[in-house]
Structures are given as C-alpha cells and as structure tokens.
Amino acid sequence: MYNLRRLEILRELRHRGTLAAVAAALSYSPSAVSQQLSQLEREVGAPLLEPHGRRVRLTPQAEILVAHTEAVLRRLDRAAADIAASLAEVTGTLRVAGFQTAALALLPSALSWLRETHPGVRLTFTQAEPDTALPALLARDCDLVVDEVFPGRPQARAAEVEHRPLWRDPMRLATRGPADLAALAGRPWVMEPVGTPAREWTTAVCREAGFEPDVVFESADMLVHAELVAAGHAAAFLPDLLWYDRRPPVALRHLAADHYRDVLVTVRSGAAEHPLVRAVLTALSAAADTARGKVRRRLAEQYN
C-alpha cells in the first residue's frame, strides 16, 4: 500500500511546479522532499520524475498516481463533511480568498452574519485575484474562492472544483467624455493588469467597437479606476458592486446586455456540502443580497 503522505507530496509537486515550492509549502527541506519522492518511487516500482530543463516534471505513471490521490482526498473531504454534519454545532476555520471589490462589499457583512448565527465559525481572508486564488484552492492553500468570470472569456475550470453563482454584476462605461464607446478611441484608459480576465474582456470590448484602447493607467484597484475617471483623466468600465457604499462620481452607462461579470464562489469538488462551507456560502449569499439592495439605491439616486 502506498504511503498517503508521500502521495500528497507528489500531488503538491504537480500543483506547485518545483521541489523548492513544495518544501516551502510543507515546511520541509528540499532534500527531505526528494527523499520522500525517492521512497515513493521505490514503493511504486517506476520512475515518477524526469528532468525538464532546470526542473523536473511528472512521468505518466506519476500523473496516474496524482489522479488517484485527488480522488482519495475528495473522499476524505466528504468524510470530514459527514462527521461535521453529525455534530450539533458548526465550528471550525474556513480560509477564503477573493478579489478586492468582493472583499469590500461582501466580507464585512458576511462576517457579521456568521458572528450572529455561527459564533463557532472562524473565517480568514486573503485578497487575491482569480488567476492566483484558483491555483491556491487546488493546492489546498485556501478552502473557498470568490472569483469572477466574463462572458465569452471563461477561465479554465478544473474538474476538481465546483461553482456557485453569487451575483451577475453589470459593467458600465464610466467617463467624463462622450457616451459613445467608439468616440473614446485615442482617449486614455485605466484597466486592470495584463493577463487578468477583466483586462482581456475590456480590451476585447474596445476592439469590437473598432479601436485599440490607449491604456495609460493600470491598477487592480477599482477605486483607483473610479478616482481617475472622476478627475477626467481616463475612461473605464466599472462594476456595479463598487457602489455598495458610495454614489458614483460620474455618469455610468450600460451599453450592452453582455457587459457584465459573474461573481462566483468556487470550492473543491465535494466540499460544498460541508456544514462549515455551507455556513460561509449562506453568509456570502446574504451579504450579496444586502449589497445588491444598496447598489440599486445608489444607482437610483444617481439617475433621479
């Protein structure tokens, strides 16, 4: 029988890419990681690693082992969920990661809901964009991710995760310039960093309008975007969720039905039924309902 801990180390290498990263994540020395993997190779009777440039990569036999290890860990997650469901009180710590706008609008309200309904639940939070938060979820560095996906540009979704929708969040054009998008060709823009889903979506919308946007300012902080637009220095697409506690400083225009993002909650497959995860999902859903009502009132004030 294979040693589960060694199988987990191999799985960590699959997700983290280097022996040094595995060692840092597990608080091992790199030599200890190598020794454990060498022992696993002897147990399996086949090579598990092969040179790949300056790194190593998994052999086909190692990939088979990792797939079975993932299945075993999912069954253990379900066992933990069953045990938790058999207890009278929901307790424990859940590690959440999410992007900035969701953290501002949803996290305080969700924490207040948990404090009132499940005082034994402890939620920790790390701000992270989806392109780093989702790999962290697969690597078991966090337990739940609040992420976003844009129409026509879904992120690659692993079979090891499942998603629950929180909010369809309209994206509106914000500018002190003309309301017509094509007329903004040559104007400065503020967008999120290159490689993010939001940047890819916004760039594509501008290209569909017939121009390549002049991205003068780049920030992952939507409040920075809003301030630059308010001061007349840039145009931007801003999400409604940003206005949960403030009035928009400029006119906002919803130009098309497909100008939105879906805000999602993502967990590892099988984890959604854990009472601790269900409690946090309910808290986030309640927070989203509260924020949605606030946004509607803010936008109504804007246009009345």
Side-chain angles (χ1 to χ4, degrees):
M1 183 178 296
Y2 303 141
N3 180 284
L4 180 57
R5 186 54 176 160
R6 295 185 187 117
L7 291 172
E8 288 181 304
I9 291 173
L10 182 65
R11 176 193 175 278
E12 290 284 335
L13 181 59
R14 174 68 177 79
H15 287 290
R16 299 186 188 277
T18 67
L19 295 173
V22 173
L26 301 179
S27 299
Y28 285 2
S29 67
S31 62
V33 171
S34 295
Q35 290 169 10
Q36 291 293 311
L37 292 174
S38 296
Q39 180 61 34
L40 182 59
E41 282 190 330
R42 289 191 289 271
E43 293 175 355
V44 174
L48 300 177
L49 305 177
E50 58 187 12
H52 183 62
R54 295 184 177 181
R55 298 186 176 188
V56 295
R57 65 182 175 189
L58 275 60
T59 64
Q61 293 72 33
E63 294 286 359
I64 292 171
L65 273 180
V66 168
H68 284 287
T69 301
E70 297 281 9
V72 169
L73 293 176
R74 285 197 295 272
R75 290 303 298 266
L76 291 174
D77 282 341
R78 292 190 184 101
D82 290 344
I83 291 171
S86 71
L87 302 175
E89 184 179 357
V90 180
T91 62
T93 298
L94 196 79
R95 301 164 300 168
V96 176
F99 60 93
Q100 182 215 34
T101 320
L104 288 170
L106 305 180
L107 186 61
S109 180
L111 288 170
S112 296
W113 189 93
L114 287 170
R115 184 175 56 197
E116 293 296 324
T117 59
H118 298 290
V121 171
R122 180 173 181 261
L123 186 153
T124 67
F125 179 82
T126 301
Q127 183 175 316
E129 295 302 311
D131 57 340
T132 57
L134 291 172
L137 179 69
L138 292 175
R140 296 178 175 256
D141 289 336
C142 62
D143 305 306
L144 183 151
V145 170
V146 181
D147 66 332
E148 61 184 355
V149 63
F150 290 81
R153 283 162 180 83
Q155 290 181 299
R157 301 288 174 175
E160 295 90 350
V161 299
E162 55 186 88
H163 319 283
R164 302 291 176 91
L166 265 185
W167 188 333
R168 175 152 289 183
D169 195 16
M171 300 289 294
R172 301 179 192 266
L173 178 66
T175 176
R176 288 197 177 279
D180 180 57
L181 182 59
L184 293 172
R187 300 288 185 95
W189 282 78
V190 54
M191 292 187 182
E192 294 201 40
V194 172
T196 60
R199 176 64 171 268
E200 293 175 359
W201 178 82
T202 310
T203 301
V205 168
C206 292
R207 288 172 178 168
E208 289 166 4
F211 68 94
E212 188 70 24
D214 180 17
V215 184
V216 178
F217 310 104
E218 185 176 283
S219 173
D221 189 332
M222 290 292 99
L223 295 178
V224 172
H225 292 215
E227 290 300 320
L228 288 170
V229 173
H233 298 305
F237 275 97
L238 298 176
D240 278 5
L241 187 57
L242 192 62
W243 316 119
Y244 77 100
D245 70 339
R246 70 199 73 213
R247 291 189 64 179
V250 294
L252 301 170
R253 303 170 182 90
H254 196 210
L255 301 182
D258 63 349
H259 287 183
Y260 64 85
R261 63 178 180 178
D262 282 325
V263 181
L264 309 173
V265 172
T266 302
V267 296
R268 289 184 294 275
S269 294
E273 297 309 311
H274 193 293
L276 184 57
V277 174
R278 287 206 308 266
V280 174
L281 285 172
T282 303
L284 288 170
S285 295
D289 288 342
T290 299
R292 189 180 294 110
K294 291 180 178 179
V295 167
R296 286 172 179 165
R297 288 192 293 274
R298 296 290 181 186
L299 294 180
E301 292 171 1
Q302 175 80 10
Y303 298 112
N304 290 335

